[in-house]
Amino acid sequence: MNAKQLKIIAVVLGAAVLLYLPRLLRDDGSGGTLDVGDGFSFVVTDTITGVDIVLAGDAGTVRLAEGAGGWTVDGYVADQQKVVDLLGVIGDLSSAEIVARNPSNHAAMGVGEDGRRVEVRTQAGDPVLFHLGPRDTRSGGYFVRLPGDPVVYRLDGPAGGYLSRPRDGWRPRRVASVDTAAVREILLRRADQEAVLRRTDDGWLAGDAPADSAVVQRMLDVLPTLSASGFPTEQEEAEADFSLSDASIEVFSTGSGDVTGRELELSLLLLEDEDRGDWLARLADGAEVFRLAGLTVNRLLPEALVPVP
């Protein structure tokens, strides 16, 4: 083998080393994987009674807890199906995709000691936990690490997305669902303006006069899926005084609820938030406060029936 051939071989080997060595030694979580060892394994065999998502820097905790009336999030009613979806996957998580081994990278990848962590509580004893970083925007999945293990893995599947929800992302947005086919009477109030809608065999009446059928239909279209646009802050909720509500709506259906042969299906109290351009809402017999979009409230309380002061 002459010198020219040796030189060519050396160039080829050098190029191969430059191409593959970073993948073998990569330790910054910037892309690529290497499947080795036992990998990340988080298995919970006991009955799960709660999940705490501790935010980075101990900035707060999103606490899912099981109670007599179902699951709650930070004391509010939780969307039960979302919790069921989480419980279906969180007890058996695994990954063999290593993205980093050097502890100096933990903070940058969001899996350091002061990063976000997930603590799963069970009936059996102390919580079990793992560190959960942000989503890997280049390769998908989420960065995860077990306590005491310097190795960071990429976790695929829905669990990382579920556990990245803020508190309000766990709360149900459905305020009420009314079967409008059975609705016979609607009482509307906005400031000092009031209106009574009654269904008759010949159509809807507003007081004693025929009601605008298009206006009534737009209102009825909202009632089967009346949903919140969001939620107030804890301070806003505490300061909301619904005894001084700006508006209200009561919906009655045919039934045996009282001597008039009607059943109260929905009683909603409303406070206008002029700064935000929407409304705070609470069921008359409920405790939780929602936000309703201005467009939704305007359809529930049409100006044609209850003029804006």
Side-chain angles (χ1 to χ4, degrees), residues 213-225:
S213 59
V215 171
V216 175
Q217 189 57 53
R218 284 195 293 270
M219 179 193 306
L220 294 176
D221 288 343
V222 175
L223 295 176
T225 56

Side-chain angles (χ1 to χ4, degrees), residues 74 125 143 179 209:
D74 292 349
F143 300 127
D179 179 5

Side-chain angles (χ1 to χ4, degrees), residues 9 14 24-26 65 79 84 95 101 132 137 221 225 239 248 254 267-269 287 299:
I9 292 173
L24 296 175
L25 299 181
R26 181 183 50 79
D79 185 317
V84 168
S95 174
R101 298 180 184 82
L132 175 67
T137 56
D221 288 343
T225 56
E239 293 175 351
S248 64
T254 303
S267 181
L268 191 67
L269 303 175
R299 291 178 67 179

Side-chain angles (χ1 to χ4, degrees), residues 158-174:
Y162 294 161
L163 294 166
S164 297
R165 291 186 181 119
R167 181 191 71 186
D168 288 350
W170 290 100
R171 298 178 65 182
R173 291 188 175 238
R174 181 67 58 85

